[in-house]
Amino acid sequence: MDNREWMYMGRPSQAQITREWMDKTEKFLDHVFKAAKEARDTFCPCSQCENKKRKTREVKVQHFCKYGFMPNYTRWVSHGEAYRPREEAVRRRLEAFDGDGGVPGWLGDYEDATFAERPTEDEQEDEEEEPEPSAKAFFAMLDSAQKVLHEKTTVSQLDAIGRLLGLKSQHNMTQACFDAMMAIIGGLLPEGHHLPSSLYESTRLLQALKMPYEQIHCCPKGCVLFREEHKDAKYCPKCKSSRYVEVDKGDGKKEQNEDIPMKVLRHLPIIPRLQRLFMSKESAKQMTWHKNGVRYNPDKMVHPADGEAWKSFNGNHRGKDEEAYNVRVALAMDGFNPYEMISAPYTCWPVFAIPLNLPPGPYFNGKTYS
């Protein structure tokens, strides 16, 4: 990355602007609008907007001259530099910290997909709409990805949180241990740092990545789920098996420990996860590839939509084939022991729902697939 001291040294005040600052600001704008392709406006990194509002090129020039660049914006994460080659990103993160989860990189991919979807400057001025909760959570994460931990480092707040949460998971830390560690690290950082003080504050910034799931107790023999009409039952209505682990009371009798179910089904609702595929214009377009995508070699089967089973389904369900956004999924299930060959007789039987609409290979600029 180039030395970007010119962004601040070349404009010490509104009345003092160097020729170098003007020339390099023009090059910065060329870079920004080239990366944004056909977008009329992009995020404005002036000290007034701080990458929270989108402005046209003309307005950006006025803002830069009047307000200057926002502090510490020497890495243009909102204007293309978050999208560097994946190998380079992974290598740098591994060098910095072996357990880094790369959360800011995910945000970069998401921001790239939604670049052309944000409201224009005129739309923002005409009507300021309140974003939905999931969008608000994402923008909060985006802000933390751009906010440095403190003024003496280039590590972002979100990067730091990702590394520490990765460490917690790797070493199975308790919440009390993690909170104590955060308090110690926070006391060692310069005053005014942006490191959260607890696990609760750290995970709250990752809210946009969370997806809902439900834990449902079930019969250990697989007879019924303890939900709806059976939600209050303590024994299976068919085989009479106990819903909870039974412990010996010491008098020859057993009682249920209602804190420990015998068997649990974890249900991850598919609808919110499919909705996330339509959350951006880019991924929504990919969901229509099975119908609208171009096959560059029509003699080869490159997608399940080219198979006879798919075509037979279309023939039997004419209405389903007409709408390209209808989602088709494949189910896969198999059991495995997550603890390998140890004494604990524990197995998992996940059911995977695989969306078949998506293209078979990498997607490049909405045109080419390989």
Side-chain angles (χ1 to χ4, degrees), residues 147-166:
K147 184 189 300 181
V148 293
L149 194 60
H150 56 83
E151 60 182 8
K152 300 297 184 179
T153 184
T154 58
V155 177
S156 72
Q157 181 191 45
L158 198 63
D159 243 341
I161 293 172
R163 297 180 187 187
L164 292 170
L165 288 176

Side-chain angles (χ1 to χ4, degrees), residues 65-184:
C65 293
K66 185 176 181 179
Y67 305 116
F69 287 92
M70 62 185 286
N72 301 314
Y73 192 61
T74 54
R75 179 170 167 228
W76 302 334
V77 294
S78 291
H79 300 90
E81 288 194 350
Y83 318 132
R84 61 191 182 278
R86 181 61 57 190
E87 294 79 7
E88 179 186 353
V90 171
R91 177 178 55 79
R92 290 183 180 179
R93 292 186 184 281
L94 288 176
E95 289 174 356
F97 181 76
D98 187 47
D100 188 13
V103 174
W106 308 339
L107 293 178
D109 295 338
Y110 181 90
E111 177 66 12
D112 189 29
T114 56
F115 224 115
E117 296 180 70
R118 301 296 180 82
T120 63
E121 178 186 357
D122 295 336
E123 291 171 341
Q124 285 184 339
E125 294 177 354
D126 291 343
E127 182 179 2
E128 290 288 343
E129 295 184 358
E130 183 73 11
E132 62 176 0
S134 60
K136 290 176 67 175
F138 167 72
F139 290 132
M141 285 179 35
L142 188 62
D143 288 341
S144 65
Q146 297 169 353
K147 184 189 300 181
V148 293
L149 194 60
H150 56 83
E151 60 182 8
K152 300 297 184 179
T153 184
T154 58
V155 177
S156 72
Q157 181 191 45
L158 198 63
D159 243 341
I161 293 172
R163 297 180 187 187
L164 292 170
L165 288 176
L167 190 66
K168 175 187 181 301
S169 177
Q170 182 179 358
H171 296 284
N172 197 25
M173 292 184 189
T174 63
Q175 180 175 345
C177 178
F178 186 84
D179 290 346
M181 180 182 68
M182 297 294 279
I184 293 174

